[in-house]
Amino acid sequence: MALLTAAQIEAADDRQFEDVDVPEWGGTVRVAGMSGTDRNAYQKQMVVFGGNGKPKEVDLTDQLARLLARCLVDENFKRLYTDATIKKLGAKNGAVLERLARVAKRLSGLGEDDVEDAAGNSEPGQSDSSTSA
């Protein structure tokens, strides 16, 4: 198998999405996985930095709506919600938001610990060079 060129990688349409029925809203929505750039911006948006420029805490305010605002798209993959309209989305049923967020996280490759890792709050794993048990 030949190695890919940069042009081939850039030309590949690797978007992942799912159309999800939401009976509570009376229809179907499209949930798209985030690009690497969008995923990094989402994670950064969750981190509160201290005066020294280092991560201080994780801001979970409207966390589901913030995620879904980046992932709910129309048939042309245009976002349905902007950062300015997150509160409107956040006012919807929390169980629905959670259900859709699970899909968005899976499609975006986000695990439960990813925001904590971005904030530097996770416990470091044992390194290969560590001699302690």
Side-chain angles (χ1 to χ4, degrees), residues 62-81:
D62 285 324
Q63 66 174 324
L64 299 177
R66 283 196 248 181
L67 171 64
L68 291 171
R70 293 182 180 275
C71 295
L72 292 177
V73 297
D74 66 14
E75 61 275 356
N76 297 313
F77 292 92
K78 183 175 184 279
R79 286 175 56 176
L80 299 179
Y81 288 89

Side-chain angles (χ1 to χ4, degrees), residues 14-16 32-43 70-71 107-110:
D14 61 355
R15 291 180 291 198
Q16 293 188 357
M34 290 182 279
S35 69
T37 300
D38 281 342
R39 180 179 148 162
N40 291 341
Y42 164 73
Q43 290 174 316
R70 293 182 180 275
C71 295
L107 294 174
S108 299
L110 278 173

Side-chain angles (χ1 to χ4, degrees), residues 16-89:
Q16 293 188 357
F17 67 91
E18 281 184 30
D19 292 344
V20 180
D21 289 330
V22 184
E24 297 90 341
W25 295 350
T28 301
V29 297
R30 177 162 289 172
V31 181
M34 290 182 279
S35 69
T37 300
D38 281 342
R39 180 179 148 162
N40 291 341
Y42 164 73
Q43 290 174 316
K44 185 177 180 183
Q45 186 181 40
M46 303 285 285
V47 178
V48 176
F49 292 90
N52 60 2
K54 293 187 178 184
K56 182 174 127 182
E57 62 187 46
V58 176
D59 178 7
L60 299 178
T61 306
D62 285 324
Q63 66 174 324
L64 299 177
R66 283 196 248 181
L67 171 64
L68 291 171
R70 293 182 180 275
C71 295
L72 292 177
V73 297
D74 66 14
E75 61 275 356
N76 297 313
F77 292 92
K78 183 175 184 279
R79 286 175 56 176
L80 299 179
Y81 288 89
T82 66
D83 290 345
T85 59
I86 286 172
K87 291 283 186 200
K88 292 179 181 180
L89 182 57

